Amino acid sequence: MTGQTAALAETMPEPKTAFAERRGAGWLIPLAVLLAWELCGQFGMLPRYIVAPSRIGATWWGMLVSGELTGHAASSLFRQSLGLLIGASCGTIVGVLAGVFAPISRFYEPLVSLIYPVPKVAILPLIFVWFGLGDLSKIVVMTISIFFPTYIAAYHGAKSVQKIHIWTALNAGATRARLIRQVVIPSALPDIFNGWRIGLALSFVLMVTTELVVSTKGLGYVIARAEENLRFDRMYAAILTIAILGFCADRLLLKLRGYLLVGQLMSKDSGHG
Amino acid sequence: MADAAADFRDERPSLPGVWLQRVWRLYPIAVVLAAWEIIAHSGFISPLLLPPIEKVAHEFWQMTASGDMAFHGAITLQRALIGFSAAIIVGIILGTALARNRIVNRVLEPIFIFGYPIPKISLYPIFIFVFGFGDMSKIVLVFLECLYPITIQTMHGMRSAERVLVWTAQNAGASGMRLFWRVLVPSAAPAIFAGIRIALPISMIVTIITELIGESRGLGYVVAFASASFEPARAMAAFAAIAMIGFFFDRSLSWLRKKALYWQADAPAFS
């Protein structure tokens, strides 16, 4: 299971320097595709559900200027960030504690191995019955789903701290709290970040999902209403916003990781360049 | 001497002892279930919100006996598995092409790198419009979500295939399909399996999500409809069936991985 989370983090592509180097050539073909798409749109050769890029851009800009987009995006991001923060914090804290104290890990291990492979989003309708249709139930679903991958990553990280480091710290008279703060957490940070990255991707998926099911505000709501009115340009504008937000959040987390983990990434990540 | 030998034998745990220990390790599950049962019977929470376990079990049994469970379960399974298997086939081919062919790499790599953090589920309303409300739009979305991890992992695996092995095979006259099946696939197999292991739970999650959004069949629909009509026991029974499918998928895949990749010692088994 720990291998699974590690593999999941591994799958997520990192920005590559090699890619940046040949950017000139790399961008040519996508640009050509975009141009062909635009031309087809101008000459009316596209089916109704595919909208020309210029029209998506114009609608997007219009919605941005009118403030409509920022309002919906803020409402979506509020739920998403709260769900991510609560779920990932709980997962990380419990995971690190379980990695240090064996009784805690003995309690959580059977539960996690039982629940982790279950698609927890299926409980969403029941959560709606329990907590109402508002923000709370959406945040609860995100919290539950994000807890598991972050727990597993943090547990794995805290478990794989080198014994020598722990012994040295204990020999030097470190208390349990100090040991966790100054030895376990720093060496588990790369794994913890992997868990947070998975949680971040999950939080965006759940943000859209919960809003498509029931909502009165948010980007998923824009998509659902646009679909009912067959306004495909508005739909694409909302999808574009979600894509930009998801992409930027991922890159922001990577930047933060690169900033906090100077020197630690080399040894841990050298295996899969 | 005899005493030492006897001691040695005594230290080996007896078979029932091992089993008892294994069962004892599962005590947290019993704790959680007991807490649920106590809360449900205490009357603090209405049974319309939290039914006791025996009611859920009874509902589960009734749905199984009436054939409802098999009907909806088969539909959910079918959607998940068709999309998932299509993603495996296309993903392995695409991943190989991305790793081995320069032009394909130039065209497709940006799509896979930049598309990865984007939730593909937001495209679902468009798929409904294009493919209709039925199975097709759901299968396409499952396929698309599963395609990303499998393709990217295959690409990584194929790239890290050892040059020397490829050169040796080429020197010996292997090319095309032979090189693919005999050298590239075995050396990329661990990475491909990692991608498949990520994609398998995704296939179930996406199928359930699409059934929650709009459908009249499938286990996700049963959960949504039963919750909306205040039949939580029925919803929980359907959720239990979903959980069992998810758990069964996970276990059978790790079993399959052990069989197929017997040379790989570091199987990511959950200890």
Side-chain angles (χ1 to χ4, degrees), chain A residues 217-249:
Chain A
K217 207 165 190 310
L219 293 168
Y221 169 77
V222 176
I223 295 178
R225 285 301 82 72
E227 190 210 3
E228 284 170 8
N229 307 323
L230 293 183
R231 284 289 304 272
F232 288 101
D233 52 332
R234 282 174 66 87
M235 210 146 116
Y236 281 109
I239 292 171
L240 182 71
T241 316
I242 294 168
I244 293 171
L245 288 176
F247 185 76
C248 290

PDB file of all heavy atoms in Angstrom, chain A residues 217-249:
ATOM      1  N   LYS A 217     -23.591  27.462  -5.992  1.00  0.00           N
ATOM      2  CA  LYS A 217     -22.523  28.402  -6.295  1.00  0.00           C
ATOM      3  C   LYS A 217     -21.251  27.600  -6.530  1.00  0.00           C
ATOM      4  O   LYS A 217     -21.099  26.507  -5.987  1.00  0.00           O
ATOM      5  CB  LYS A 217     -22.326  29.387  -5.138  1.00  0.00           C
ATOM      6  CG  LYS A 217     -21.750  30.721  -5.565  1.00  0.00           C
ATOM      7  CD  LYS A 217     -21.929  31.732  -4.436  1.00  0.00           C
ATOM      8  CE  LYS A 217     -21.609  33.153  -4.838  1.00  0.00           C
ATOM      9  NZ  LYS A 217     -20.399  33.440  -5.496  1.00  0.00           N
ATOM     10  N   GLY A 218     -20.359  28.140  -7.330  1.00  0.00           N
ATOM     11  CA  GLY A 218     -19.107  27.435  -7.581  1.00  0.00           C
ATOM     12  C   GLY A 218     -18.937  27.104  -9.052  1.00  0.00           C
ATOM     13  O   GLY A 218     -19.869  27.221  -9.842  1.00  0.00           O
ATOM     14  N   LEU A 219     -17.719  26.720  -9.410  1.00  0.00           N
ATOM     15  CA  LEU A 219     -17.409  26.493 -10.820  1.00  0.00           C
ATOM     16  C   LEU A 219     -18.160  25.275 -11.374  1.00  0.00           C
ATOM     17  O   LEU A 219     -18.590  25.280 -12.534  1.00  0.00           O
ATOM     18  CB  LEU A 219     -15.900  26.312 -10.980  1.00  0.00           C
ATOM     19  CG  LEU A 219     -15.079  27.572 -10.680  1.00  0.00           C
ATOM     20  CD1 LEU A 219     -13.607  27.233 -10.563  1.00  0.00           C
ATOM     21  CD2 LEU A 219     -15.298  28.607 -11.757  1.00  0.00           C
ATOM     22  N   GLY A 220     -18.321  24.239 -10.539  1.00  0.00           N
ATOM     23  CA  GLY A 220     -19.088  23.074 -10.982  1.00  0.00           C
ATOM     24  C   GLY A 220     -20.534  23.455 -11.260  1.00  0.00           C
ATOM     25  O   GLY A 220     -21.162  22.941 -12.192  1.00  0.00           O
ATOM     26  N   TYR A 221     -21.052  24.367 -10.460  1.00  0.00           N
ATOM     27  CA  TYR A 221     -22.411  24.867 -10.671  1.00  0.00           C
ATOM     28  C   TYR A 221     -22.510  25.589 -12.015  1.00  0.00           C
ATOM     29  O   TYR A 221     -23.489  25.413 -12.752  1.00  0.00           O
ATOM     30  CB  TYR A 221     -22.777  25.804  -9.520  1.00  0.00           C
ATOM     31  CG  TYR A 221     -24.037  26.598  -9.725  1.00  0.00           C
ATOM     32  CD1 TYR A 221     -25.284  26.013  -9.568  1.00  0.00           C
ATOM     33  CD2 TYR A 221     -23.973  27.941 -10.094  1.00  0.00           C
ATOM     34  CE1 TYR A 221     -26.430  26.735  -9.758  1.00  0.00           C
ATOM     35  CE2 TYR A 221     -25.118  28.673 -10.279  1.00  0.00           C
ATOM     36  CZ  TYR A 221     -26.352  28.070 -10.116  1.00  0.00           C
ATOM     37  OH  TYR A 221     -27.485  28.787 -10.316  1.00  0.00           O
ATOM     38  N   VAL A 222     -21.493  26.390 -12.347  1.00  0.00           N
ATOM     39  CA  VAL A 222     -21.487  27.084 -13.647  1.00  0.00           C
ATOM     40  C   VAL A 222     -21.564  26.070 -14.779  1.00  0.00           C
ATOM     41  O   VAL A 222     -22.337  26.217 -15.736  1.00  0.00           O
ATOM     42  CB  VAL A 222     -20.225  27.966 -13.787  1.00  0.00           C
ATOM     43  CG1 VAL A 222     -20.180  28.606 -15.162  1.00  0.00           C
ATOM     44  CG2 VAL A 222     -20.198  29.027 -12.716  1.00  0.00           C
ATOM     45  N   ILE A 223     -20.765  24.977 -14.641  1.00  0.00           N
ATOM     46  CA  ILE A 223     -20.768  23.949 -15.687  1.00  0.00           C
ATOM     47  C   ILE A 223     -22.145  23.317 -15.808  1.00  0.00           C
ATOM     48  O   ILE A 223     -22.689  23.162 -16.913  1.00  0.00           O
ATOM     49  CB  ILE A 223     -19.704  22.882 -15.375  1.00  0.00           C
ATOM     50  CG1 ILE A 223     -18.304  23.486 -15.432  1.00  0.00           C
ATOM     51  CG2 ILE A 223     -19.805  21.725 -16.355  1.00  0.00           C
ATOM     52  CD1 ILE A 223     -17.211  22.516 -15.088  1.00  0.00           C
ATOM     53  N   ALA A 224     -22.731  22.970 -14.661  1.00  0.00           N
ATOM     54  CA  ALA A 224     -24.026  22.281 -14.688  1.00  0.00           C
ATOM     55  C   ALA A 224     -25.103  23.180 -15.307  1.00  0.00           C
ATOM     56  O   ALA A 224     -25.905  22.724 -16.131  1.00  0.00           O
ATOM     57  CB  ALA A 224     -24.405  21.858 -13.271  1.00  0.00           C
ATOM     58  N   ARG A 225     -25.136  24.481 -14.917  1.00  0.00           N
ATOM     59  CA  ARG A 225     -26.147  25.383 -15.481  1.00  0.00           C
ATOM     60  C   ARG A 225     -25.909  25.608 -16.970  1.00  0.00           C
ATOM     61  O   ARG A 225     -26.849  25.608 -17.765  1.00  0.00           O
ATOM     62  CB  ARG A 225     -26.119  26.733 -14.767  1.00  0.00           C
ATOM     63  CG  ARG A 225     -26.728  26.790 -13.384  1.00  0.00           C
ATOM     64  CD  ARG A 225     -28.191  26.405 -13.338  1.00  0.00           C
ATOM     65  NE  ARG A 225     -28.375  24.955 -13.309  1.00  0.00           N
ATOM     66  CZ  ARG A 225     -28.097  24.188 -12.253  1.00  0.00           C
ATOM     67  NH1 ARG A 225     -27.677  24.735 -11.130  1.00  0.00           N
ATOM     68  NH2 ARG A 225     -28.267  22.874 -12.300  1.00  0.00           N
ATOM     69  N   ALA A 226     -24.638  25.774 -17.353  1.00  0.00           N
ATOM     70  CA  ALA A 226     -24.327  26.007 -18.766  1.00  0.00           C
ATOM     71  C   ALA A 226     -24.759  24.823 -19.606  1.00  0.00           C
ATOM     72  O   ALA A 226     -25.209  24.973 -20.740  1.00  0.00           O
ATOM     73  CB  ALA A 226     -22.828  26.277 -18.933  1.00  0.00           C
ATOM     74  N   GLU A 227     -24.636  23.607 -19.019  1.00  0.00           N
ATOM     75  CA  GLU A 227     -25.040  22.425 -19.776  1.00  0.00           C
ATOM     76  C   GLU A 227     -26.541  22.440 -20.011  1.00  0.00           C
ATOM     77  O   GLU A 227     -27.017  22.119 -21.105  1.00  0.00           O
ATOM     78  CB  GLU A 227     -24.643  21.169 -19.000  1.00  0.00           C
ATOM     79  CG  GLU A 227     -24.818  19.914 -19.817  1.00  0.00           C
ATOM     80  CD  GLU A 227     -25.145  18.722 -18.962  1.00  0.00           C
ATOM     81  OE1 GLU A 227     -25.298  18.871 -17.735  1.00  0.00           O
ATOM     82  OE2 GLU A 227     -25.262  17.633 -19.536  1.00  0.00           O
ATOM     83  N   GLU A 228     -27.308  22.848 -18.995  1.00  0.00           N
ATOM     84  CA  GLU A 228     -28.758  22.876 -19.155  1.00  0.00           C
ATOM     85  C   GLU A 228     -29.177  23.882 -20.217  1.00  0.00           C
ATOM     86  O   GLU A 228     -30.159  23.678 -20.936  1.00  0.00           O
ATOM     87  CB  GLU A 228     -29.418  23.232 -17.822  1.00  0.00           C
ATOM     88  CG  GLU A 228     -29.428  22.062 -16.864  1.00  0.00           C
ATOM     89  CD  GLU A 228     -29.862  22.463 -15.473  1.00  0.00           C
ATOM     90  OE1 GLU A 228     -30.292  23.615 -15.290  1.00  0.00           O
ATOM     91  OE2 GLU A 228     -29.752  21.618 -14.578  1.00  0.00           O
ATOM     92  N   ASN A 229     -28.431  25.004 -20.310  1.00  0.00           N
ATOM     93  CA  ASN A 229     -28.787  26.029 -21.287  1.00  0.00           C
ATOM     94  C   ASN A 229     -28.040  25.876 -22.606  1.00  0.00           C
ATOM     95  O   ASN A 229     -28.131  26.743 -23.468  1.00  0.00           O
ATOM     96  CB  ASN A 229     -28.493  27.424 -20.716  1.00  0.00           C
ATOM     97  CG  ASN A 229     -29.157  27.610 -19.381  1.00  0.00           C
ATOM     98  OD1 ASN A 229     -30.266  27.125 -19.169  1.00  0.00           O
ATOM     99  ND2 ASN A 229     -28.479  28.288 -18.472  1.00  0.00           N
ATOM    100  N   LEU A 230     -27.274  24.778 -22.724  1.00  0.00           N
ATOM    101  CA  LEU A 230     -26.479  24.529 -23.932  1.00  0.00           C
ATOM    102  C   LEU A 230     -25.551  25.692 -24.262  1.00  0.00           C
ATOM    103  O   LEU A 230     -25.321  26.004 -25.425  1.00  0.00           O
ATOM    104  CB  LEU A 230     -27.380  24.219 -25.131  1.00  0.00           C
ATOM    105  CG  LEU A 230     -28.143  22.898 -25.031  1.00  0.00           C
ATOM    106  CD1 LEU A 230     -28.937  22.657 -26.296  1.00  0.00           C
ATOM    107  CD2 LEU A 230     -27.205  21.743 -24.788  1.00  0.00           C
ATOM    108  N   ARG A 231     -25.036  26.351 -23.229  1.00  0.00           N
ATOM    109  CA  ARG A 231     -24.055  27.417 -23.459  1.00  0.00           C
ATOM    110  C   ARG A 231     -22.651  26.800 -23.357  1.00  0.00           C
ATOM    111  O   ARG A 231     -22.006  26.856 -22.327  1.00  0.00           O
ATOM    112  CB  ARG A 231     -24.210  28.523 -22.417  1.00  0.00           C
ATOM    113  CG  ARG A 231     -25.398  29.441 -22.664  1.00  0.00           C
ATOM    114  CD  ARG A 231     -25.188  30.333 -23.859  1.00  0.00           C
ATOM    115  NE  ARG A 231     -23.969  31.127 -23.771  1.00  0.00           N
ATOM    116  CZ  ARG A 231     -23.912  32.322 -23.189  1.00  0.00           C
ATOM    117  NH1 ARG A 231     -24.980  32.845 -22.659  1.00  0.00           N
ATOM    118  NH2 ARG A 231     -22.778  32.985 -23.161  1.00  0.00           N
ATOM    119  N   PHE A 232     -22.202  26.216 -24.432  1.00  0.00           N
ATOM    120  CA  PHE A 232     -20.932  25.486 -24.362  1.00  0.00           C
ATOM    121  C   PHE A 232     -19.746  26.408 -24.118  1.00  0.00           C
ATOM    122  O   PHE A 232     -18.753  26.003 -23.528  1.00  0.00           O
ATOM    123  CB  PHE A 232     -20.729  24.648 -25.622  1.00  0.00           C
ATOM    124  CG  PHE A 232     -21.627  23.470 -25.658  1.00  0.00           C
ATOM    125  CD1 PHE A 232     -22.764  23.475 -26.424  1.00  0.00           C
ATOM    126  CD2 PHE A 232     -21.346  22.366 -24.880  1.00  0.00           C
ATOM    127  CE1 PHE A 232     -23.615  22.388 -26.433  1.00  0.00           C
ATOM    128  CE2 PHE A 232     -22.187  21.272 -24.872  1.00  0.00           C
ATOM    129  CZ  PHE A 232     -23.320  21.292 -25.652  1.00  0.00           C
ATOM    130  N   ASP A 233     -19.847  27.663 -24.561  1.00  0.00           N
ATOM    131  CA  ASP A 233     -18.724  28.572 -24.341  1.00  0.00           C
ATOM    132  C   ASP A 233     -18.529  28.832 -22.850  1.00  0.00           C
ATOM    133  O   ASP A 233     -17.409  28.837 -22.347  1.00  0.00           O
ATOM    134  CB  ASP A 233     -18.939  29.886 -25.113  1.00  0.00           C
ATOM    135  CG  ASP A 233     -20.288  30.502 -24.813  1.00  0.00           C
ATOM    136  OD1 ASP A 233     -21.203  29.738 -24.483  1.00  0.00           O
ATOM    137  OD2 ASP A 233     -20.424  31.730 -24.915  1.00  0.00           O
ATOM    138  N   ARG A 234     -19.658  28.986 -22.119  1.00  0.00           N
ATOM    139  CA  ARG A 234     -19.560  29.201 -20.668  1.00  0.00           C
ATOM    140  C   ARG A 234     -19.001  27.967 -19.972  1.00  0.00           C
ATOM    141  O   ARG A 234     -18.230  28.047 -19.030  1.00  0.00           O
ATOM    142  CB  ARG A 234     -20.930  29.550 -20.088  1.00  0.00           C
ATOM    143  CG  ARG A 234     -21.341  30.984 -20.336  1.00  0.00           C
ATOM    144  CD  ARG A 234     -22.751  31.207 -19.879  1.00  0.00           C
ATOM    145  NE  ARG A 234     -22.882  31.071 -18.426  1.00  0.00           N
ATOM    146  CZ  ARG A 234     -22.682  32.073 -17.576  1.00  0.00           C
ATOM    147  NH1 ARG A 234     -22.335  33.256 -18.030  1.00  0.00           N
ATOM    148  NH2 ARG A 234     -22.827  31.899 -16.300  1.00  0.00           N
ATOM    149  N   MET A 235     -19.426  26.803 -20.477  1.00  0.00           N
ATOM    150  CA  MET A 235     -18.944  25.554 -19.911  1.00  0.00           C
ATOM    151  C   MET A 235     -17.423  25.451 -20.047  1.00  0.00           C
ATOM    152  O   MET A 235     -16.712  25.148 -19.085  1.00  0.00           O
ATOM    153  CB  MET A 235     -19.602  24.423 -20.684  1.00  0.00           C
ATOM    154  CG  MET A 235     -19.815  23.192 -19.915  1.00  0.00           C
ATOM    155  SD  MET A 235     -21.326  22.491 -20.524  1.00  0.00           S
ATOM    156  CE  MET A 235     -20.807  21.033 -21.191  1.00  0.00           C
ATOM    157  N   TYR A 236     -16.941  25.736 -21.260  1.00  0.00           N
ATOM    158  CA  TYR A 236     -15.491  25.649 -21.481  1.00  0.00           C
ATOM    159  C   TYR A 236     -14.752  26.706 -20.666  1.00  0.00           C
ATOM    160  O   TYR A 236     -13.640  26.466 -20.198  1.00  0.00           O
ATOM    161  CB  TYR A 236     -15.162  25.797 -22.965  1.00  0.00           C
ATOM    162  CG  TYR A 236     -15.404  24.543 -23.749  1.00  0.00           C
ATOM    163  CD1 TYR A 236     -16.448  24.451 -24.640  1.00  0.00           C
ATOM    164  CD2 TYR A 236     -14.579  23.427 -23.581  1.00  0.00           C
ATOM    165  CE1 TYR A 236     -16.687  23.293 -25.353  1.00  0.00           C
ATOM    166  CE2 TYR A 236     -14.805  22.278 -24.276  1.00  0.00           C
ATOM    167  CZ  TYR A 236     -15.857  22.215 -25.171  1.00  0.00           C
ATOM    168  OH  TYR A 236     -16.083  21.056 -25.862  1.00  0.00           O
ATOM    169  N   ALA A 237     -15.377  27.874 -20.505  1.00  0.00           N
ATOM    170  CA  ALA A 237     -14.715  28.918 -19.702  1.00  0.00           C
ATOM    171  C   ALA A 237     -14.534  28.441 -18.269  1.00  0.00           C
ATOM    172  O   ALA A 237     -13.469  28.620 -17.667  1.00  0.00           O
ATOM    173  CB  ALA A 237     -15.539  30.203 -19.745  1.00  0.00           C
ATOM    174  N   ALA A 238     -15.578  27.783 -17.710  1.00  0.00           N
ATOM    175  CA  ALA A 238     -15.472  27.275 -16.333  1.00  0.00           C
ATOM    176  C   ALA A 238     -14.437  26.156 -16.259  1.00  0.00           C
ATOM    177  O   ALA A 238     -13.626  26.094 -15.323  1.00  0.00           O
ATOM    178  CB  ALA A 238     -16.832  26.762 -15.858  1.00  0.00           C
ATOM    179  N   ILE A 239     -14.449  25.257 -17.263  1.00  0.00           N
ATOM    180  CA  ILE A 239     -13.472  24.154 -17.257  1.00  0.00           C
ATOM    181  C   ILE A 239     -12.064  24.716 -17.346  1.00  0.00           C
ATOM    182  O   ILE A 239     -11.153  24.255 -16.647  1.00  0.00           O
ATOM    183  CB  ILE A 239     -13.765  23.191 -18.430  1.00  0.00           C
ATOM    184  CG1 ILE A 239     -15.077  22.469 -18.204  1.00  0.00           C
ATOM    185  CG2 ILE A 239     -12.634  22.179 -18.589  1.00  0.00           C
ATOM    186  CD1 ILE A 239     -15.557  21.670 -19.382  1.00  0.00           C
ATOM    187  N   LEU A 240     -11.894  25.738 -18.182  1.00  0.00           N
ATOM    188  CA  LEU A 240     -10.573  26.372 -18.312  1.00  0.00           C
ATOM    189  C   LEU A 240     -10.117  26.941 -16.971  1.00  0.00           C
ATOM    190  O   LEU A 240      -8.953  26.779 -16.576  1.00  0.00           O
ATOM    191  CB  LEU A 240     -10.653  27.478 -19.372  1.00  0.00           C
ATOM    192  CG  LEU A 240      -9.363  28.223 -19.680  1.00  0.00           C
ATOM    193  CD1 LEU A 240      -8.403  27.308 -20.427  1.00  0.00           C
ATOM    194  CD2 LEU A 240      -9.622  29.471 -20.511  1.00  0.00           C
ATOM    195  N   THR A 241     -11.052  27.585 -16.262  1.00  0.00           N
ATOM    196  CA  THR A 241     -10.690  28.142 -14.955  1.00  0.00           C
ATOM    197  C   THR A 241     -10.251  27.037 -13.998  1.00  0.00           C
ATOM    198  O   THR A 241      -9.243  27.167 -13.297  1.00  0.00           O
ATOM    199  CB  THR A 241     -11.893  28.884 -14.365  1.00  0.00           C
ATOM    200  OG1 THR A 241     -12.493  29.662 -15.389  1.00  0.00           O
ATOM    201  CG2 THR A 241     -11.476  29.765 -13.222  1.00  0.00           C
ATOM    202  N   ILE A 242     -11.021  25.933 -13.960  1.00  0.00           N
ATOM    203  CA  ILE A 242     -10.663  24.819 -13.068  1.00  0.00           C
ATOM    204  C   ILE A 242      -9.284  24.283 -13.445  1.00  0.00           C
ATOM    205  O   ILE A 242      -8.448  24.017 -12.574  1.00  0.00           O
ATOM    206  CB  ILE A 242     -11.721  23.705 -13.165  1.00  0.00           C
ATOM    207  CG1 ILE A 242     -13.055  24.196 -12.621  1.00  0.00           C
ATOM    208  CG2 ILE A 242     -11.262  22.470 -12.396  1.00  0.00           C
ATOM    209  CD1 ILE A 242     -14.206  23.287 -12.938  1.00  0.00           C
ATOM    210  N   ALA A 243      -9.044  24.151 -14.757  1.00  0.00           N
ATOM    211  CA  ALA A 243      -7.754  23.625 -15.204  1.00  0.00           C
ATOM    212  C   ALA A 243      -6.613  24.532 -14.758  1.00  0.00           C
ATOM    213  O   ALA A 243      -5.595  24.064 -14.244  1.00  0.00           O
ATOM    214  CB  ALA A 243      -7.760  23.478 -16.726  1.00  0.00           C
ATOM    215  N   ILE A 244      -6.804  25.844 -14.943  1.00  0.00           N
ATOM    216  CA  ILE A 244      -5.743  26.782 -14.553  1.00  0.00           C
ATOM    217  C   ILE A 244      -5.493  26.705 -13.052  1.00  0.00           C
ATOM    218  O   ILE A 244      -4.352  26.621 -12.601  1.00  0.00           O
ATOM    219  CB  ILE A 244      -6.125  28.227 -14.969  1.00  0.00           C
ATOM    220  CG1 ILE A 244      -6.151  28.343 -16.493  1.00  0.00           C
ATOM    221  CG2 ILE A 244      -5.157  29.231 -14.383  1.00  0.00           C
ATOM    222  CD1 ILE A 244      -6.715  29.654 -16.990  1.00  0.00           C
ATOM    223  N   LEU A 245      -6.597  26.697 -12.276  1.00  0.00           N
ATOM    224  CA  LEU A 245      -6.446  26.656 -10.811  1.00  0.00           C
ATOM    225  C   LEU A 245      -5.750  25.372 -10.381  1.00  0.00           C
ATOM    226  O   LEU A 245      -4.813  25.393  -9.570  1.00  0.00           O
ATOM    227  CB  LEU A 245      -7.820  26.757 -10.145  1.00  0.00           C
ATOM    228  CG  LEU A 245      -8.493  28.117 -10.220  1.00  0.00           C
ATOM    229  CD1 LEU A 245      -9.886  28.043  -9.620  1.00  0.00           C
ATOM    230  CD2 LEU A 245      -7.669  29.157  -9.494  1.00  0.00           C
ATOM    231  N   GLY A 246      -6.194  24.235 -10.938  1.00  0.00           N
ATOM    232  CA  GLY A 246      -5.606  22.953 -10.553  1.00  0.00           C
ATOM    233  C   GLY A 246      -4.130  22.906 -10.895  1.00  0.00           C
ATOM    234  O   GLY A 246      -3.300  22.480 -10.090  1.00  0.00           O
ATOM    235  N   PHE A 247      -3.826  23.386 -12.088  1.00  0.00           N
ATOM    236  CA  PHE A 247      -2.433  23.366 -12.540  1.00  0.00           C
ATOM    237  C   PHE A 247      -1.559  24.270 -11.669  1.00  0.00           C
ATOM    238  O   PHE A 247      -0.487  23.872 -11.206  1.00  0.00           O
ATOM    239  CB  PHE A 247      -2.395  23.810 -14.002  1.00  0.00           C
ATOM    240  CG  PHE A 247      -1.049  23.718 -14.614  1.00  0.00           C
ATOM    241  CD1 PHE A 247      -0.538  22.483 -14.979  1.00  0.00           C
ATOM    242  CD2 PHE A 247      -0.272  24.839 -14.817  1.00  0.00           C
ATOM    243  CE1 PHE A 247       0.716  22.376 -15.530  1.00  0.00           C
ATOM    244  CE2 PHE A 247       0.980  24.746 -15.368  1.00  0.00           C
ATOM    245  CZ  PHE A 247       1.474  23.510 -15.736  1.00  0.00           C
ATOM    246  N   CYS A 248      -2.054  25.492 -11.413  1.00  0.00           N
ATOM    247  CA  CYS A 248      -1.252  26.435 -10.618  1.00  0.00           C
ATOM    248  C   CYS A 248      -1.062  25.929  -9.195  1.00  0.00           C
ATOM    249  O   CYS A 248       0.029  26.052  -8.626  1.00  0.00           O
ATOM    250  CB  CYS A 248      -1.921  27.808 -10.587  1.00  0.00           C
ATOM    251  SG  CYS A 248      -1.857  28.638 -12.168  1.00  0.00           S
ATOM    252  N   ALA A 249      -2.121  25.337  -8.599  1.00  0.00           N
ATOM    253  CA  ALA A 249      -1.995  24.836  -7.227  1.00  0.00           C
ATOM    254  C   ALA A 249      -0.935  23.739  -7.166  1.00  0.00           C
ATOM    255  O   ALA A 249      -0.123  23.696  -6.241  1.00  0.00           O
ATOM    256  CB  ALA A 249      -3.346  24.300  -6.744  1.00  0.00           C
TER     257      ALA A 249
END
